[in-house]
Amino acid sequence: MPEEILAPLAGKIIQLNLEIGKAVEEDEEILVIEAMKMETPVFAPLSGTVKEVMVDEGDEVEEDQLLAVIDE
Amino acid sequence: MRPYFEKMAPLGHALKPGQLKQTANNQAVFETAEAEIKADVERVRQAGFSTEKINARGQMTVWQRLDYLVDPDTWCPLHTLYNPAANDEGTTNVIDGLARISDRWAVVIGFDNKVMAGAWLAGQSENILRVTDLAKRLNLPLIWLVNCSGAKLPEQEKFYANRRGAGAPFFRHAELAQAGIPVLAGIYGTNPAGGGYQGISPTVLFAHKNGNIAVGGAGIVSGMAPKGHFDLEMAEGLIKKAKAFKTKPPGSVKTHYDETGFFRYVFEEEKDVLDGLKAYMADLPAYHPRFFRVAEPCDPAFPVEDIYRLLPMAPKRVYAFEEVLARLVDGGEHMEFRPGYGPEVYTGLCKIDGFPVACIGNRQGYLGKGYPEYADYPGFGGKLYRQGLIKMNEFVTLCGRDRMPIVWFQDTTGIDVGDAAEKAELLGLGQSLIYSIQQTDVPMMLVVLRKGTAAAHYVMGGPTANRHNAFTLGTAASEIYVMHGETAAVATYARRLVKEKDAGRALDEVVDRMNALADDYHDKSRPLFCAHNGLVDEIVAIRDLRRYLEAFAGSAYQNPTSICPQHQMILPRIVRG
């Protein structure tokens, strides 16, 4: 079951640890969004394989924007 | 109130494999920073003569005395690195902390007899002021290990006089006596002048057989009338007189036990003095813990060591405050006060060692759409907004009513700023919180988990802004400053940059100054700086935090000056609704 990763807040992607086809572990830090001088890490909600990545480092994103998809 | 406190809501989660993998580096960085602090503590422990040298003289060192005096595993040192005058000796020359003696909490302080035979040094009276304030705030007995050779004479101008100078501790002892707080003193070695008053000002004096206290020592008694200069003839005369006094220093046991009776007891061996103090401590009034406990004590639900992974050393990283709290309080349980309101701040009731304690801490990260409600920008934890300030005002007021000691956990970047914030009354609400805290008159402690910034450091139980802060702890991640260094550089030089640009001049010099200021802020906000200058009372290793919390809770409930019967507490009822 694919899981969509949405941006929890608006900000700039300053770190992206996702690569299509690579495995991720539940609760692993998959990207970091910077906003209001603070860095908010986003963690993998499940273990699986990265199916899609819609953003790059440096991108500005909106809250709830689709960032990536992880396949279980 | 058993149904309220015995089993409360669970807090936090066990670390998952992904978190363990991700946070290993943070733990390593944290422990490296703690090792640096530990090395500085060791330097203070090794200051002055070696233990072997002191022991060869038939004396114990202050550290050995403390070790023998206090109950095992209860020593919680404070002010170890405090050295505000940057003394060459690297210490204020008193060692102090909280500890249990004969199963009762006490504030304990002793002169370091390895360093100039326990002399008065600059900054020492400020250290003693903190200690006497601590005894007063927690209503705990103060135990002195007096071994004080008097002032370091070549530097007397730094500490002898002034409102908070070296004589102030004697008045402070009188003040404690006035408040009904006993000061017990074990007296060792030669204690002339300042040392004599250190010896005479406590409540009950326990002397070692070689101890003495005197208005002046041999050096003063043998002094001659000033001639305006010294010469060899005078020097020869001084040698004769000094030798005579050396064999018989004033104020010995023969005088102050046999004649004046100032010494209540005299003991043959050094350890006997400490046994005497222990025996007295066992007789001092103290509530049995069961009087105030609301549940059986138990460990936190998860290991305190997890905090090395959960509390980011990177200052901009957000984290979950509740996960930290779950690793410090009994069973990882709590009753949250007004969840959902003022989301940037956690307020709730927890248990520490079975005692009820209020906890307040900054949450971190994005606070969700529409918050703060008065602004068109997003709210982030660490900052304080209108609701959070109102909630803290309410909570501390109710804590005062329920006589609930408060533990503050700071990781704050300040109170929200700007016109919208002003219209939302944040300036007034911050000051209201200071007023609310002052009204409570309950003991508080503060842990600066990471950032203590701007007025938020004051209003969230900071030592600067209230008399109820018993002590403040920092961690290896702490940084305390009025604002971040880069913000300060912008505030200081932004207009100058405009001026230089308009004049067509190069900006390099101003940019260099901005960088220099930011670097200076960084250096003067680090944990060691905070400890040396008293911005915190101790930098504590994460794995020791729980021990300090237990010491605080046990101390606060040992002899409180006012009580709220448990079944008349209102806060648990408000939480339950």
Side-chain angles (χ1 to χ4, degrees):
Chain A
M1 181 85 177
E3 182 91 16
E4 293 185 338
I5 310 298
L6 305 182
L9 73 164
K12 184 180 179 180
I13 308 247
I14 59 164
Q15 199 180 313
L16 189 65
N17 307 324
L18 291 172
E19 222 176 292
I20 293 173
K22 285 274 172 75
V24 290
E25 207 166 344
E26 186 182 356
D27 284 308
E28 195 177 329
E29 189 177 291
I30 52 175
L31 57 97
V32 179
I33 299 176
E34 186 183 61
M36 300 287 280
K37 300 181 194 170
M38 297 303 289
E39 296 172 359
T40 304
V42 176
F43 301 101
L46 75 170
S47 295
T49 308
V50 180
K51 190 179 174 192
E52 286 181 76
V53 181
M54 287 80 172
V55 287
D56 286 320
E57 268 184 19
D59 284 0
E60 296 283 346
V61 296
E62 291 300 319
E63 188 171 347
D64 293 333
Q65 182 178 329
L66 180 62
L67 306 177
V69 178
I70 296 174
D71 227 349
E72 200 170 2
Chain B
M1 295 299 280
R2 184 180 44 76
Y4 285 89
F5 286 106
E6 196 171 47
K7 187 69 187 165
M8 305 194 295
L11 194 60
H13 307 88
L15 291 177
K16 294 177 184 168
Q19 279 178 292
L20 290 168
K21 186 175 158 189
Q22 205 68 54
T23 54
N25 184 56
N26 192 70
Q27 174 161 14
V29 174
F30 219 124
E31 289 182 331
T32 301
E34 283 191 353
E36 186 193 353
I37 291 154
K38 196 175 171 189
D40 213 32
V41 167
E42 190 55 28
R43 181 189 51 72
V44 171
R45 288 182 68 96
Q46 299 302 329
F49 288 142
S50 67
T51 300
E52 293 71 28
K53 188 158 185 168
I54 297 294
N55 291 167
R57 292 175 175 174
Q59 297 172 14
M60 298 164 78
T61 67
V62 68
W63 297 103
Q64 290 171 322
R65 289 169 184 161
L66 288 168
D67 194 44
Y68 185 82
L69 178 66
V70 308
D71 295 352
D73 302 322
T74 65
W75 174 240
C76 295
L78 294 167
H79 316 115
T80 310
L81 301 178
Y82 185 48
N83 183 16
N87 297 328
D88 292 341
E89 294 81 0
T91 168
T92 64
N93 220 11
V94 283
I95 309 299
D96 67 88
L98 279 170
R100 273 209 316 249
I101 300 171
S102 302
D103 225 19
R104 281 158 169 70
W105 286 104
V107 180
V108 188
I109 180 167
F111 286 95
D112 189 347
N113 54 331
K114 294 191 286 90
V115 179
M116 299 183 69
W120 277 0
L121 300 182
Q124 188 181 94
S125 55
E126 288 291 338
N127 193 335
I128 297 173
L129 174 66
R130 287 162 185 256
V131 167
T132 48
D133 275 353
L134 179 62
K136 196 172 170 188
R137 178 57 269 176
L138 293 173
N139 201 27
L140 291 182
L142 175 60
I143 309 303
W144 262 103
L145 299 176
V146 179
N147 196 337
C148 175
S149 56
K152 182 184 179 185
L153 294 173
E155 294 182 4
Q156 61 83 29
E157 81 286 355
K158 293 181 181 172
F159 55 82
Y160 158 67
N162 216 330
R163 181 168 282 270
R164 287 148 68 111
F170 318 143
F171 137 70
R172 288 281 172 172
H173 289 163
E175 202 177 36
L176 291 178
Q178 186 182 28
I181 297 170
V183 184
L184 307 182
I187 296 172
Y188 297 96
T190 304
N191 300 283
Y197 286 97
Q198 290 289 165
I200 194 66
S201 53
T203 318
V204 185
L205 316 184
F206 302 71
H208 178 245
K209 66 176 180 184
N210 296 333
N212 66 60
I213 53 174
V215 173
I220 296 175
V221 178
S222 62
M224 294 176 169
K227 283 182 179 177
H229 67 281
F230 292 99
D231 55 30
L232 288 174
E233 186 189 346
M234 264 183 97
E236 293 294 341
L238 276 171
I239 289 166
K240 276 185 197 163
K241 294 201 175 203
K243 274 184 177 172
F245 277 103
K246 210 172 180 179
T247 54
K248 191 185 171 191
S252 67
V253 162
K254 191 165 176 53
T255 303
H256 286 317
Y257 182 73
D258 297 349
E259 301 288 333
T260 65
F262 290 167
F263 294 150
R264 188 86 64 95
Y265 307 98
V266 171
F267 298 93
E268 189 70 19
E269 302 294 334
E270 288 218 1
K271 283 184 176 172
D272 296 342
V273 177
L274 303 170
D275 287 332
L277 291 167
K278 288 185 194 185
Y280 250 63
M281 275 297 295
D283 290 338
L284 290 184
Y287 284 96
H288 191 283
R290 67 171 166 257
F291 195 95
F292 292 106
R293 276 187 176 139
V294 290
E296 282 301 311
C298 69
D299 290 333
F302 310 106
V304 69
E305 285 78 9
D306 285 356
I307 299 174
Y308 287 106
R309 295 170 176 276
L310 292 165
L311 180 64
M313 285 294 280
K316 292 180 178 177
R317 272 298 160 108
V318 307
Y319 61 95
F321 168 70
E322 275 96 331
E323 293 291 344
V324 173
L325 187 63
R327 284 147 177 92
L328 293 171
V329 299
D330 289 13
E333 295 173 14
H334 75 140
M335 277 189 264
E336 186 175 355
F337 175 77
R338 297 199 76 179
Y341 184 79
E344 75 271 28
V345 180
Y346 169 88
T347 50
L349 300 179
C350 301
K351 294 170 289 185
I352 293 172
D353 204 24
F355 295 110
V357 171
C359 293
I360 303 174
N362 298 101
R363 287 200 177 97
Q364 305 296 317
Y366 180 49
L367 297 167
K369 283 177 185 161
Y371 192 83
E373 72 288 356
Y374 56 80
D376 57 4
Y377 44 80
F380 274 77
K383 275 267 179 293
L384 299 178
Y385 303 98
R386 179 182 171 87
Q387 287 186 17
L389 286 163
I390 290 173
K391 182 165 79 169
M392 287 190 284
N393 270 283
E394 288 177 328
F395 188 60
V396 300
T397 300
L398 291 164
C399 287
R401 191 262 175 215
D402 284 359
R403 313 312 300 148
M404 192 79 71
I406 299 173
V407 182
W408 296 83
F409 294 92
Q410 277 190 14
D411 189 349
T412 178
T413 50
I415 299 174
D416 189 23
V417 297
D419 259 353
E422 292 306 322
K423 285 178 193 164
E425 302 181 83
L426 302 204
L427 183 65
L429 288 168
Q431 175 58 31
S432 298
L433 183 51
I434 288 174
Y435 178 84
S436 297
I437 290 170
Q438 187 59 26
Q439 288 295 316
T440 64
D441 198 16
V442 293
M444 303 183 188
M445 69 171 276
L446 166 64
V447 183
V448 182
L449 284 173
R450 210 167 49 165
K451 290 186 283 291
T453 311
H457 175 57
Y458 296 165
V459 305
M460 290 188 70
T464 317
N466 75 86
R467 287 202 185 278
H468 308 320
N469 173 296
F471 57 90
T472 296
L473 303 178
T475 72
S478 295
E479 47 187 295
I480 299 175
Y481 39 41
V482 66
M483 62 182 75
H484 190 276
E486 288 170 31
T487 313
V490 171
T492 307
Y493 290 108
R495 283 180 185 282
R496 178 75 184 274
L497 280 172
V498 172
K499 212 172 160 184
E500 296 297 309
K501 184 76 180 171
D502 288 349
R505 288 192 285 264
L507 303 178
D508 302 18
E509 191 190 327
V510 183
V511 170
D512 287 348
R513 285 187 190 184
M514 291 175 81
N515 281 318
L517 184 64
D519 289 347
D520 193 50
Y521 262 61
H522 179 270
D523 295 345
K524 291 177 177 168
S525 60
R526 298 301 94 192
L528 281 177
F529 181 90
C530 294
H532 292 157
N533 291 281
L535 279 55
V536 296
D537 292 299
E538 191 80 354
I539 298 289
V540 174
I542 290 295
R543 53 177 53 85
D544 292 334
L545 262 180
R546 164 82 183 180
R547 200 155 52 83
Y548 278 81
L549 291 171
E550 288 177 356
F552 170 72
S555 297
Y557 281 110
Q558 179 166 292
N559 258 322
T561 51
S562 74
I563 291 168
C564 178
Q566 287 176 4
H567 60 283
Q568 292 168 31
M569 287 177 176
I570 203 70
L571 254 173
R573 272 82 174 231
I574 291 173
V575 169
R576 184 177 283 187

